Amino acid sequence: DTEVTQTPKHLVMGMTNKKSLKCEQHMGHRAMYWYKQKAKKPPELMFVYSYEKLSINESVPSRFSPECPNSSLLNLHLHALQPEDSALYLCASSQDAGTPLHFGNGTRLTVT
Amino acid sequence: GDSVTQMEGPVTLSEEAFLTINCTYTATGYPSLFWYVQYPGEGLQLLLKATKADDKGSNKGFEATYRKETTSFHLEKGSVQVSDSAVYFCALTSMFSGGYNKLIFGAGTRLAVHP
């Protein structure tokens, strides 16, 4: 069982919808990440939070809005997405900035 | 910039065969190197890691040695099982300014093991 929990596992949304992806870890990790993975491709980094502050935004469009309410939780708010945003969204955490990442099982998002 | 190159798949093997998946890297400084595995419908799991030259990472019968002279981190297993069928990603850490690390992934290699 993964120690990083993501909900929901699957999400279908229309282009005018607003939805949120959630991620939770209880390992005491201080860095949390959002990655996007298209089919048959490696994951691509979107955002990094360190000590609950946004540290890195990899030029992600504003229709993706991350939020870190506390050290255990990470959200990704979605609004006005495009069909090409359909992908597997992976959350990860690490003890600090230089240590291995632990991934959740992802949310498979389909935008119709 | 930093990059990782993996052998193209898919790799198809019979059970109990020997596995090698090649991985080479380009990096400034001294990155840490990783192998992650992704089983169907799941996220990525850390398989093994090495943090400095000549380190050997090992886990579940898989091994990889950090070779600085050849900038390689090839994954090997002596006898594969059907349950090893998955996609394997080689990765390195690349440091942002400010000390934050970023995982740079290779393209991934799909392994299919048949009984």
Side-chain angles (χ1 to χ4, degrees):
Chain A
D1 286 341
T2 181
E3 295 171 322
V4 177
T5 303
Q6 291 187 242
T7 55
K9 292 185 178 179
H10 300 276
L11 178 63
V12 179
M13 61 185 290
M15 289 189 285
T16 59
N17 292 159
K18 286 185 181 180
K19 296 286 184 184
S20 296
L21 309 185
K22 297 186 182 301
C23 174
E24 188 169 5
Q25 58 88 13
H26 293 290
M27 295 179 282
H29 289 176
R30 303 317 300 243
M32 296 186 77
Y33 310 75
W34 280 114
Y35 279 81
K36 173 182 177 179
Q37 186 179 24
K38 301 285 278 185
K40 299 187 179 181
K41 297 289 187 183
E44 298 175 356
L45 181 65
M46 300 174 73
F47 302 104
V48 180
Y49 272 82
S50 180
Y51 290 86
E52 302 163 45
K53 291 194 167 108
L54 182 63
S55 302
I56 294 167
N57 176 340
E58 288 280 85
S59 302
V60 179
S62 60
R63 57 186 184 269
F64 295 92
S65 175
E67 177 197 19
C68 189
N70 60 55
S71 60
S72 299
L73 294 174
L74 185 66
N75 299 323
L76 185 63
H77 302 298
L78 314 173
H79 175 54
L81 295 194
Q82 303 297 311
E84 59 264 29
D85 295 322
S86 298
L88 180 68
Y89 287 84
L90 293 164
C91 174
S93 68
S94 64
Q95 187 169 3
D96 57 40
T99 52
L101 271 61
H102 296 255
F103 285 85
N105 282 334
T107 294
R108 187 161 300 283
L109 174 68
T110 303
V111 182
T112 60
Chain B
D2 296 355
S3 66
V4 176
T5 302
Q6 286 181 242
M7 62 187 290
E8 289 189 16
V11 173
T12 304
L13 295 173
S14 298
E15 207 165 23
E16 299 184 3
F18 184 86
L19 169 70
T20 300
I21 300 178
N22 289 338
C23 172
T24 57
Y25 68 90
T26 302
T28 54
Y30 302 95
S32 293
L33 302 174
F34 305 87
W35 278 100
Y36 280 85
V37 58
Q38 187 171 31
Y39 297 102
E42 298 185 8
L44 277 70
Q45 297 177 25
L46 177 65
L47 182 59
L48 52 85
K49 67 180 174 75
T51 57
K52 61 182 187 296
D54 300 326
D55 266 3
K56 178 186 282 189
S58 61
N59 186 24
K60 299 180 181 178
F62 291 90
E63 293 183 340
T65 300
Y66 190 146
R67 302 283 188 201
K68 190 169 184 299
E69 63 276 13
T70 55
T71 62
S72 64
F73 193 56
H74 304 321
L75 182 68
E76 296 182 337
K77 186 176 185 182
S79 176
V80 293
Q81 305 299 312
V82 172
S83 57
D84 294 325
S85 299
V87 179
Y88 292 81
F89 291 98
C90 184
L92 62 79
T93 48
S94 179
M95 297 299 287
F96 286 110
S97 61
Y100 304 109
N101 71 333
K102 173 180 180 178
L103 269 181
I104 306 289
F105 287 97
T109 302
R110 183 173 300 276
L111 170 66
V113 180
H114 298 291

